């Protein structure tokens, strides 16, 4: 797991973001400077693990190098994290019949590839929120 992108919380793994102490803007991934006010008072924060699907599409072909993942097609979308920001992310679903704008989603880790040492590499994605 890439520590520059993820952080552990009581609820599980979360995206590692930042919030400007001056203007309140959020960023992902973590940044040392604010893109809104150009301040340098950024605070590391775990971003919300749940959100809503803001927009989506299906990547229907294998991306060009340097892409190293194993999936030839997958869902990708913009996920609105409430009160924070909108992040671009892989989706766990690629069937257009099962995706809809506004659906509740939650962060999960999914297999991406196996590295040259045989170690599984994971990435983040958002999938339909569980109804516990």
């Amino acid at each position: 797991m890439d520590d520059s992108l993820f952080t552990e919380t009581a609820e599980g793994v979360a995206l590692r973001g930042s919030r400007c102490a001056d203007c309140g803007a959020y960023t992902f991934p973590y940044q040392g400077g604010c893109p809104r006010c150009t301040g340098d008072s950024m605070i590391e924060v775990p971003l919300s693990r749940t959100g809503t699907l803001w927009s989506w599409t299906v990547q229907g072909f294998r991306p060009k190098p340097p892409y190293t993942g194993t999936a030839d097609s997958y869902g990708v979308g913009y996920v609105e994290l409430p009160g924070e920001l909108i992040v671009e992310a892989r989706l766990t679903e690629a069937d257009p019949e099962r995706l809809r704008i506004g659906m509740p989603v939650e962060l999960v880790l999914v297999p991406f590839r196996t590295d040259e040492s045989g170690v599984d590499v994971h990435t983040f994605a958002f999938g339909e929120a569980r109804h516990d």
Side-chain angles (χ1 to χ4, degrees):
M1 188 164 62
D2 183 344
D3 290 335
S4 70
L5 297 178
F6 304 107
T7 187
E8 286 288 336
T9 71
E11 293 79 36
V13 173
L15 297 176
R16 179 179 174 248
S18 50
R19 182 179 52 78
C20 179
D22 295 327
C23 75
Y26 284 83
T27 63
F28 175 77
Y30 175 87
Q31 294 182 24
C34 181
R36 183 189 295 161
C37 74
T38 69
D40 60 0
S41 299
M42 301 300 282
I43 302 165
E44 182 179 329
V45 294
L47 298 176
S48 177
R49 296 179 31 79
T50 60
T52 55
L53 190 56
W54 189 78
S55 183
W56 60 269
T57 191
V58 174
Q59 171 76 26
F61 56 90
R62 186 172 185 78
K64 296 177 188 175
Y67 179 79
T68 59
T70 57
D72 288 337
S73 66
Y74 50 88
V76 64
Y78 287 109
V79 174
E80 184 173 12
L81 303 179
E84 296 174 348
L85 72 163
I86 296 173
V87 296
E88 181 179 3
R90 182 179 287 243
L91 303 174
T92 61
E93 183 60 63
D95 180 353
E97 297 297 318
R98 299 188 56 153
L99 294 168
R100 68 186 187 289
I101 292 173
M103 72 186 284
V105 292
E106 67 184 341
L107 180 73
V108 295
L109 294 179
V110 295
F112 182 65
R113 66 180 172 89
T114 302
D115 72 13
E116 56 281 346
S117 302
V119 175
D120 290 335
V121 176
H122 289 79
T123 190
F124 68 93
F126 282 85
E128 186 171 7
R130 295 173 294 199
H131 305 291
D132 294 336

